[in-house]
Amino acid sequence: MPGTPVGKGRPKVASRGGKFAQLYTPEKTANYEGLVAHAGHVAMNGRDLIAGAVSVQLDIRLPVPASWSKRKQNEALDGQLLPTKKPDIDNVEKAIFDGLNGVVWNDDVQVVDVTKRKRYSAVPGVRIRIAEIGAGE
């Protein structure tokens, strides 16, 4: 998944005439989930949706802030500084899982194992590894 990872945003509320409220997904979240769905579609290459239990590994790579000194940037790229900032790791996971619903698997309830990490990188993105789990594993 190329590009800067985006966490799933909280639903927004729009009122209609003061009497009715409508929930909607923030545009940034919807765009990112669409990008995830497209990448998932390309990766599936015409294969059927995964029907069983799924294991997922997420390697989330955030860009190093350009405003940091060269020394600090190098420390971040070497793993000496870790990204304790937004987006939250669980919100990135949720955006990716929702984007893959109906594209890679039927629904993200099929995910039974998750391994995830968040680091800085010169090339931001998310490496996603998905494996179907057979019965008894």
Side-chain angles (χ1 to χ4, degrees), residues 41-119:
H41 180 73
V42 170
M44 289 299 283
N45 196 25
R47 292 187 294 259
D48 291 336
L49 297 180
I50 298 172
V54 175
S55 171
V56 179
Q57 294 176 349
L58 298 175
D59 185 13
I60 301 165
R61 299 296 179 150
L62 299 179
V64 178
S67 62
W68 285 2
S69 69
K70 287 291 182 194
R71 181 185 61 78
K72 193 171 179 181
Q73 287 182 18
N74 287 333
E75 287 175 354
L77 292 173
D78 289 341
Q80 297 171 29
L81 290 176
L82 300 176
T84 55
K85 63 175 199 117
K86 290 189 180 280
D88 297 355
I89 198 168
D90 58 323
N91 290 340
V92 173
E93 173 186 9
K94 185 65 179 157
I96 289 171
F97 284 11
D98 285 353
L100 295 177
N101 283 339
V103 176
V104 172
W105 49 59
N106 292 303
D107 191 87
D108 55 358
V109 297
Q110 294 171 243
V111 179
V112 297
D113 290 329
V114 179
T115 305
K116 51 193 170 183
R117 61 183 265 155
K118 181 171 79 166
R119 299 291 189 269

